[in-house]
Amino acid sequence: MVMDPYGGIMNISSETIAFPHRKGNLFSIQYLVEWHKEENERSHWYIEWIRELYDAMTPYVSEGPRAAYINYMDFDLGVNPIVPSVEKARVWGEKYFLKNFDRLVRAKTVIDPHNIFNNQQGIPPMTSSLALLKCPPLAVWEYV
């Protein structure tokens, strides 16, 4: 477990800046586990152990929602399906971005409506996913 202290002004509203984890937070926690190659058959044990530690910390960390930091991607929170949706992304998006999630979805919809720039926990645009799949490749690049 690594505790990263925050510095700077900490009484900034979470909606004021892109990094929403300032107000009321003194540090972030990284939960890490590693093992040697020879122990790969026990990997499930190590992963379960770190998940239990994460759960045990619940009374001592942020809540409503329990927040997460996007630079410490946590796939246990969920990942985008092949055809992403805003509601599925909301599960982790509100943990990473708090009240900024809806604003970021609106920005993504304007800036990248075809979801060219994406990752497993990226913010999808508010568009018809089926329409994007039918879109010819050249039409996508016309918007870039």
Side-chain angles (χ1 to χ4, degrees):
M1 191 165 75
V2 178
M3 300 170 91
D4 296 315
Y6 287 144
I9 299 172
M10 299 309 291
N11 61 351
I12 297 172
S13 165
S14 64
E15 292 104 36
T16 305
I17 58 175
F19 181 76
H21 305 290
R22 289 224 181 253
K23 191 170 187 174
N25 295 303
L26 301 176
F27 51 87
S28 65
I29 301 173
Q30 297 181 56
Y31 299 90
L32 310 167
V33 65
E34 61 181 62
W35 55 88
H36 297 281
K37 186 177 179 179
E38 306 82 55
E39 300 175 287
N40 277 349
E41 69 280 349
R42 296 191 65 209
S43 63
H44 66 283
W45 184 88
Y46 290 108
I47 293 169
E48 190 58 35
W49 176 82
I50 200 69
R51 285 178 176 153
E52 287 175 9
L53 174 61
Y54 178 87
D55 290 343
M57 290 297 294
T58 299
Y60 310 104
V61 298
S62 62
E63 60 181 323
R66 182 173 185 171
Y69 180 40
I70 186 66
N71 285 358
Y72 310 152
M73 290 179 80
D74 182 352
F75 293 143
D76 283 345
L77 299 177
V79 294
N80 275 318
I82 292 173
V83 179
S85 77
V86 171
E87 288 314 306
K88 289 198 187 279
R90 185 175 301 283
V91 171
W92 61 84
E94 287 183 346
K95 292 180 183 345
Y96 290 141
F97 306 111
L98 303 179
K99 294 178 183 173
N100 295 332
F101 178 73
D102 288 325
R103 183 174 59 175
L104 291 168
V105 168
R106 289 191 302 275
K108 174 74 172 198
T109 302
V110 170
I111 296 166
D112 184 17
H114 295 285
N115 205 25
I116 298 295
F117 304 100
N118 63 73
N119 65 50
Q120 296 96 329
Q121 290 184 329
I123 298 172
M126 290 184 293
T127 55
S128 167
S129 301
L130 292 176
L132 290 179
L133 290 175
K134 294 177 183 176
C135 189
L138 291 176
V140 172
W141 293 108
E142 291 173 354
Y143 290 99
V144 175

